[in-house]
Amino acid sequence: DTAVSQTPKYLVTQMGNDKSIKCEQNLGHDTMYWYKQDSKKFLKIMFSYNNKELIINETVPNRFSPKSPDKAHLNLHINSLELGDSAVYFCASSPSGGYTEAFFGQGTRLTVV
Amino acid sequence: KNEVEQSPQNLTAQEGEFITINCSYSVGISALHWLQQHPGGGIVSLFMLSSGKKKHGRLIATINIQEKHSSLHITASHPRDSAVYICAAFTSGTYKYIFGTGTRLKVLA
């Protein structure tokens, strides 16, 4: 069973489109995250949710809107996609906000053309 | 300057060598994580440390809270250890990881 699963794994889309990336964890964790890995392979946090509540929004453009319908899901919706949004997006979860190991999804490679 | 710095950025070793990757941080942390990113892109959590030392197989991680420094050691390195190793500081009082820039390790047979 996959602990943290993201879909899709690859996403190619045109500029201006709206797209969503889904993330689900079956570990019973309270905290979920979205990270962006840029072309230089540098990981940076975008959002953190704890018990469905937004905890961190790291100066991410308003075009990015996370949605957490329940503790097990944290989806990322992106409006009006731009070329600079091309990156790998990772979802992760942890039991209590970082005091134990985090589990990562396999990543979604988004390419905006 | 990043709040979490790793060194070296790139490392090539011969199979069997002892490897050390260093991580220094300038923020207050609750815990420090070591992650491994495989060539295929997947990320695996290796260790979570808040003090002392942890060992898992050929991997050893240490942390010195006073010096704000952590090291990841790999004993008897093997080509399958080739990956990017990333340290991540979980900052005190927040739900936020700050990542180092990663160390790209290549172990040659």
Side-chain angles (χ1 to χ4, degrees), chain B residues 3 14 20-21 24 29-31 60-61 90 95-96 105 108:
Chain B
E3 293 167 294
Q14 292 293 325
T20 295
I21 299 170
S24 296
I29 69 165
S30 303
I60 303 166
F90 191 79
Y95 288 84
K96 180 178 170 180
L105 171 66
L108 303 174

Side-chain angles (χ1 to χ4, degrees), chain A residues 48-101:
Chain A
S48 170
Y49 268 72
N50 188 58
N51 283 319
K52 300 195 301 174
E53 285 190 31
L54 178 65
I55 302 295
I56 288 174
N57 177 341
E58 279 290 299
T59 60
V60 178
N62 291 338
R63 299 181 295 103
F64 290 78
S65 53
K67 295 278 192 305
S68 183
D70 54 58
K71 273 175 42 171
H73 296 84
L74 181 62
N75 303 322
L76 184 65
H77 189 76
I78 315 170
N79 289 328
S80 303
L81 278 155
E82 299 177 358
L83 292 176
D85 298 332
S86 296
V88 181
Y89 293 84
F90 284 95
C91 175
S93 73
S94 66
S96 52
Y99 296 94
T100 56
E101 293 175 28

